[in-house]
Amino acid sequence: MSSLKDPGSPWRASRERMRDREVKRDAVIRAAARAFNRKGYHNTSLDDIAAALEVTKPTVYYYVSNKEQLLFECFVAGIEGIRAAFRETRSLALPARERLKAVLRHYGEAVASEFGWCMVRAEDQDLSPDMSAHIKAMKSEIDQGIRRLLREGIQDGSIHPCDPKMTAFALAGALNWIAHWYRESQSMTGTEIAEAFIAVFERGLMPRSQNSNEDPTCRKSKSSSSRPGARRSARSKAPSRR
Amino acid sequence: MSSLKDPGSPWRASRERMRDREVKRDAVIRAAARAFNRKGYHNTSLDDIAAALEVTKPTVYYYVSNKEQLLFECFVAGIEGIRAAFRETRSLALPARERLKAVLRHYGEAVASEFGWCMVRAEDQDLSPDMSAHIKAMKSEIDQGIRRLLREGIQDGSIHPCDPKMTAFALAGALNWIAHWYRESQSMTGTEIAEAFIAVFERGLMPRSQNSNEDPTCRKSKSSSSRPGARRSARSKAPSRR
DNA sequence: TAGAATGGCTACCGGCGAGTATGATCCACG
DNA sequence: CGTGGATCATACTCGCCGGTAGCCATTCTA
């Protein structure tokens, strides 16, 4: 990025400064995320954050405009990982269930990251209306993305027919909740936890031997659910088990 | 204490006052729960709670000693429903999976109740160490109860072998998360949501036709998991398939 | 070396909100 | 009637914390 101008340009130093500033700003945001993670948003003062960086409060205000923005940035940093997961997997030529699993793995990783707390527990009431609207939009985007994958999976036969809305709530809830109990330096990484959860979701609690006489109690079974022909042929190849 | 006296005693009126006090105290706690639910703990002042009751702050302080205790009481009120669910189902003569489902239904109901927010989102950092310890103990009790049901289900064959710890986290997480998005006067009740979630958990996302080539990726397969003979005979009778 | 830009600090303000001191009011009971 | 406890309001204290004003140090530019 800095290679666009020639090295000897008089703006080089200035641009390096800019980069320096970005680095420091990121450090501020990361420190805030860690503090929020440990003590909660309201129990964290800007003095705390400044102290963690071994600077003083006005220095923090030199990089961010206010505390609310700090929370917002942490949230965006956290959710960006999930959005990236969606972008990556969108192009993959896999059955929807596999793409969903890939997204959920990234999801778990993001929630277990240092920004997980902020992403998951940022409360609307702590933010100004417009920032709250931004966050709501992003959250809705994730939710709709999961629902879409579920619908696609039902269509291509890789996912058992179910109510996409409720299922998405269940999946996202289980993963979001990781932020409540997970602490860094635990035995498992976020991806591993997501993997374990996926195993549960995928297979279900019920033993295999009981499948036979099961009536699909699925709500929203509008159409095509019980039509066996709806299962697309592309899936039946089962190309990529893990 | 005064209730030990006989009903006709001159203390009767006094006891009615006591009852009155209990009723009012409950009203205070419920008002607090609603306020926390709407605006969050830190964004709710005791003046807000008092205003909702159309009294003033000192009146609130007449019934509770401080704000922290208010949160604590709300938490206890919420979690009591779940503990009751465990007590009720413990005696039922059902396979463990059915008992687990019964507990989860009550769980969902409790989380969707007006105390759900407090139960789920009460942060340790907002409470004094001893109250925090109380809450942690109760939460752990619930968690251990779910794990126990899972282990029993694996033993009696009504639940597919899995890691009880991770599975309990997934189940509880999905249900806890209800408190984040559920608002009263929604189309579904808490029990219905729990029912929908249970359907997902029980059956799993994977279509039935794919069971064949599935390798049980279950961690913690210490023993008995892959041993088909481990499935107990009591189960194979399938006595209570709904 | 002047001067501007950048980065940081000390010291403060103002408001919000938890919690309290004080006393008024009501009502049961002697 | 009047006494004492229960209930509640007015009006305050006080500490914390978000945010700011203004000053100093350093570094880059010309």
Side-chain angles (χ1 to χ4, degrees):
Chain A
M1 29 191 70
S2 65
S3 56
L4 288 177
K5 293 223 172 188
D6 55 339
S9 139
W11 284 99
R12 213 187 83 98
S14 162
R15 281 199 290 106
E16 263 179 17
R17 270 210 188 158
M18 279 300 274
R19 247 186 60 77
D20 210 45
R21 183 188 165 92
E22 284 280 309
V23 167
K24 290 188 182 176
R25 190 187 141 92
D26 276 8
V28 169
I29 291 172
R30 288 167 56 99
R34 274 192 294 270
F36 294 159
N37 196 30
R38 252 207 348 272
K39 307 172 48 179
Y41 178 69
H42 288 281
N43 294 319
T44 300
S45 72
L46 283 174
D47 280 317
D48 292 336
I49 298 170
L53 293 164
E54 293 178 307
V55 294
T56 55
K57 191 165 50 171
T59 302
V60 172
Y61 273 94
Y62 181 72
Y63 292 100
V64 295
S65 60
N66 53 32
K67 192 182 179 182
E68 180 196 348
Q69 194 199 4
L70 217 40
L71 178 59
F72 181 75
E73 301 275 2
C74 290
F75 173 87
V76 171
I79 213 167
E80 197 45 51
I82 301 178
R83 301 179 75 189
F86 273 102
R87 282 195 298 271
E88 286 172 26
T89 50
R90 209 185 308 276
S91 54
L92 294 182
L94 289 171
R97 196 183 75 229
E98 296 300 324
R99 278 180 286 146
L100 174 64
K101 283 165 66 177
V103 164
L104 295 184
R105 268 190 291 270
H106 283 88
Y107 200 125
E109 202 168 4
V111 172
S113 79
E114 58 188 350
F115 296 114
W117 190 96
C118 306
M119 176 179 34
V120 151
R121 308 182 69 167
E123 314 239 7
D124 301 1
Q125 308 98 358
D126 300 333
L127 294 166
S128 65
D130 54 340
M131 285 201 176
S132 173
H134 272 152
I135 285 190
K136 273 218 183 85
M138 288 188 183
K139 284 184 175 175
S140 171
E141 178 191 330
I142 305 294
D143 180 42
Q144 294 298 330
I146 294 179
R147 293 190 200 183
R148 216 167 73 94
L149 281 174
L150 286 169
R151 279 195 302 269
E152 289 176 19
I154 295 169
Q155 284 242 323
D156 73 12
S158 60
I159 291 178
H160 186 94
C162 61
D163 180 353
K165 180 179 169 185
M166 283 294 117
T167 307
F169 276 159
L171 296 178
L175 290 167
N176 286 336
W177 197 252
I178 295 173
H180 279 69
W181 50 268
Y182 182 73
R183 286 293 164 265
E184 211 103 11
S185 78
Q186 209 137 0
S187 57
M188 299 180 78
T189 154
T191 313
E192 286 168 353
I193 295 172
E195 204 81 52
F197 281 17
I198 289 169
V200 174
F201 292 140
E202 198 167 37
R203 180 205 318 123
L205 298 176
M206 193 158 46
R208 286 287 144 66
S209 53
Q210 297 198 334
N211 301 348
S212 43
N213 60 347
E214 176 60 19
D215 161 28
T217 343
C218 171
R219 283 111 183 103
K220 201 160 196 173
S221 55
K222 294 197 59 163
S223 67
S224 83
S225 68
S226 54
R227 288 265 319 113
R231 240 178 277 125
R232 297 284 304 286
S233 58
R235 217 299 48 269
S236 63
K237 293 285 184 60
S240 76
R241 277 288 307 114
R242 225 206 126 81
Chain B
M1 27 191 69
S2 61
S3 57
L4 292 175
K5 299 220 172 187
D6 55 341
S9 102
W11 284 99
R12 216 191 84 95
S14 162
R15 279 203 295 109
E16 264 180 15
R17 268 217 184 155
M18 280 299 278
R19 239 184 56 76
D20 210 45
R21 184 187 166 88
E22 284 281 309
V23 168
K24 290 187 182 176
R25 190 186 141 92
D26 276 7
V28 169
I29 292 172
R30 289 168 52 99
R34 274 193 293 272
F36 294 159
N37 195 29
R38 253 208 347 273
K39 306 172 50 179
Y41 178 69
H42 288 282
N43 294 319
T44 301
S45 74
L46 283 174
D47 281 316
D48 292 336
I49 298 171
L53 293 164
E54 291 178 309
V55 295
T56 55
K57 192 164 50 170
T59 303
V60 173
Y61 273 96
Y62 182 73
Y63 293 100
V64 295
S65 60
N66 52 33
K67 191 181 180 183
E68 179 195 348
Q69 194 198 5
L70 217 40
L71 180 58
F72 181 76
E73 301 275 3
C74 290
F75 174 87
V76 172
I79 212 167
E80 197 47 50
I82 300 178
R83 301 179 74 189
F86 273 102
R87 283 195 299 272
E88 287 172 24
T89 49
R90 211 186 306 278
S91 54
L92 293 181
L94 289 172
R97 197 183 73 229
E98 296 300 324
R99 279 180 285 144
L100 175 64
K101 282 165 65 178
V103 165
L104 294 185
R105 267 188 292 268
H106 283 87
Y107 199 126
E109 204 167 4
V111 172
S113 80
E114 59 189 348
F115 296 113
W117 191 96
C118 307
M119 175 178 36
V120 151
R121 309 183 68 167
E123 314 239 6
D124 301 1
Q125 310 98 358
D126 301 333
L127 296 166
S128 64
D130 56 339
M131 286 201 174
S132 173
H134 271 152
I135 285 191
K136 272 216 183 85
M138 288 188 183
K139 284 183 176 175
S140 172
E141 179 191 329
I142 305 295
D143 180 42
Q144 294 297 329
I146 294 179
R147 293 190 201 183
R148 216 168 73 92
L149 281 175
L150 286 169
R151 279 194 302 269
E152 289 177 19
I154 295 170
Q155 283 242 322
D156 73 12
S158 62
I159 290 177
H160 186 92
C162 61
D163 180 354
K165 180 179 168 186
M166 280 297 116
T167 307
F169 277 160
L171 295 177
L175 289 167
N176 285 336
W177 196 251
I178 294 172
H180 279 68
W181 51 267
Y182 183 74
R183 287 292 163 266
E184 211 102 12
S185 78
Q186 208 135 1
S187 56
M188 299 180 78
T189 154
T191 313
E192 286 168 353
I193 295 172
E195 204 82 51
F197 281 17
I198 288 169
V200 174
F201 291 136
E202 199 169 35
R203 180 206 316 125
L205 298 176
M206 195 155 47
R208 286 289 141 64
S209 53
Q210 298 199 331
N211 302 349
S212 43
N213 60 347
E214 177 59 19
D215 161 29
T217 343
C218 173
R219 280 111 184 104
K220 200 158 195 178
S221 55
K222 293 197 59 163
S223 66
S224 85
S225 70
S226 54
R227 286 265 318 112
R231 243 178 276 125
R232 296 283 307 285
S233 58
R235 218 289 59 260
S236 63
K237 292 286 184 58
S240 74
R241 284 284 309 112
R242 241 202 109 85

